[in-house]
Amino acid sequence: MIPANQIRQWVNGVGAVAVTALILSGAAPGLAEEGESESVSVSAPMVKGTLPVDDPNAAIWSTAKPAKFPMSPQVHWPNRILETTVKDVSVRALHDGTQVAVLLEYADPTEDPDDAAAIEFMVGDKKAHFAHGQPMSQVEGGPVNIWFWKNKDKKGVDMNAMGFGTLKVQTHQDVKATGAFSNGTWKVVFTRPLATEHADEDTQLVPGGFINIAFAVWDGRKDGSGDLVEKGSQKAVSSWWYFRAEAPPDYSGYYYAAFAAALALGFQFVLIRKLKKGQAA
């Protein structure tokens, strides 16, 4: 006959093994969210159905967590300003396994024809500076891929740069963009295929991997003399942050956890039966 206290110890031990299996598989609730920081990265969940490529106000955007990033005046190029209109930008993103859509949202008191926004990515493995890939101390130069939108043009523009003064429009155009202004707020959607045929010019967005991302915004209003308040290098910019298109969900961990739990329950059942037989004898 096996002592009852020893049986209980075995049962508790098996239960602990099952819980450990759940944790290691990622099935334990809340673990995936722990440690995430929306202040340093943009996460684009994968969705089914049609992406809101031309609708900045689509309800589906609420399924993507917003990430807010500080903006400041560009100070690396001589043509600069000391104060910018936009102080921060909120970013959401979605992808469907083929295309990605990125939504920028920011406050701007007035809608102007020259209001503009841009997203920037590194291209390849070189660590470029966020200032157009300009070579800097301890930072290798470019290239960078820039997605640009201006209100009066009503379209997205695919660009490249490898330092100040090298900005150029690509001969092929893969980026689309549209903006909507309401109640002092701009919402601008950029859309592009995750992968393109121009890896030397376009950043390639591989689901599950992290890449660098930066933002720029121009307030296109004019001052009292009729000059644009912000133009060219006179703009609000961010430093490099991170972007990740989420990989398709992997449920294999849940299967392993379910198997471990079933095994543990089966073991408990056998032990209890042996205990009852021993007590009956």
Side-chain angles (χ1 to χ4, degrees), residues 217-241:
V217 176
W218 293 259
D219 179 2
R221 66 184 174 88
K222 296 181 178 180
D223 59 21
S225 61
D227 294 327
L228 290 173
V229 173
E230 298 178 17
K231 60 182 179 181
S233 62
Q234 300 171 338
K235 58 186 176 182
V237 298
S238 80
S239 59
W240 286 125
W241 299 101

Side-chain angles (χ1 to χ4, degrees), residues 39-255:
S39 64
V40 299
S41 66
V42 180
S43 181
M46 185 174 179
V47 298
K48 295 182 179 180
T50 304
L51 288 178
V53 297
D54 56 0
D55 187 359
N57 296 303
I60 194 173
W61 284 115
S62 64
T63 64
K65 291 183 180 181
K68 183 176 288 187
F69 303 100
M71 306 291 284
S72 58
Q74 183 282 131
V75 297
H76 297 284
W77 190 246
N79 296 327
R80 64 188 68 166
I81 51 179
L82 300 178
E83 188 74 19
T84 59
T85 298
V86 177
K87 309 302 181 185
D88 55 62
V89 59
S90 179
V91 185
R92 300 175 191 257
L94 300 166
H95 80 95
D96 61 4
T98 301
Q99 291 194 96
V100 64
V102 183
L103 174 67
L104 305 188
E105 184 174 355
Y106 56 92
D108 185 347
T110 60
E111 178 183 2
D112 304 287
D114 288 292
D115 286 343
I119 303 176
E120 181 183 55
F121 299 94
M122 290 185 192
V123 178
D125 298 328
K126 291 185 177 180
K127 298 299 182 181
H129 196 276
F130 66 85
H132 281 202
Q134 175 71 14
M136 299 279 187
S137 176
Q138 299 180 344
V139 180
E140 191 174 4
V144 293
N145 183 200
I146 298 170
W147 304 356
F148 178 77
W149 165 88
K150 182 177 283 188
N151 184 25
K152 66 181 180 183
D153 296 333
K154 307 298 181 184
K155 65 178 183 179
V157 183
D158 212 350
M159 299 180 172
N160 287 108
M162 288 189 66
F164 296 136
T166 67
L167 184 65
K168 65 177 182 179
V169 177
Q170 294 182 4
T171 56
H172 57 89
Q173 289 292 307
D174 302 304
V175 173
K176 296 181 179 179
T178 185
F181 184 84
S182 179
N183 299 320
T185 299
W186 269 114
K187 292 182 179 180
V188 183
V189 178
F190 294 87
T191 309
R192 204 209 71 178
L194 291 169
T196 73
E197 298 178 353
H198 313 280
D200 56 333
E201 295 180 296
D202 298 332
T203 189
Q204 304 299 300
L205 306 175
V206 180
F210 285 90
I211 61 174
N212 289 105
I213 188 171
F215 312 97
V217 176
W218 293 259
D219 179 2
R221 66 184 174 88
K222 296 181 178 180
D223 59 21
S225 61
D227 294 327
L228 290 173
V229 173
E230 298 178 17
K231 60 182 179 181
S233 62
Q234 300 171 338
K235 58 186 176 182
V237 298
S238 80
S239 59
W240 286 125
W241 299 101
Y242 293 100
F243 179 90
R244 181 177 184 266
E246 295 182 6
D250 180 5
Y251 298 108
S252 61
Y254 290 90
Y255 299 144

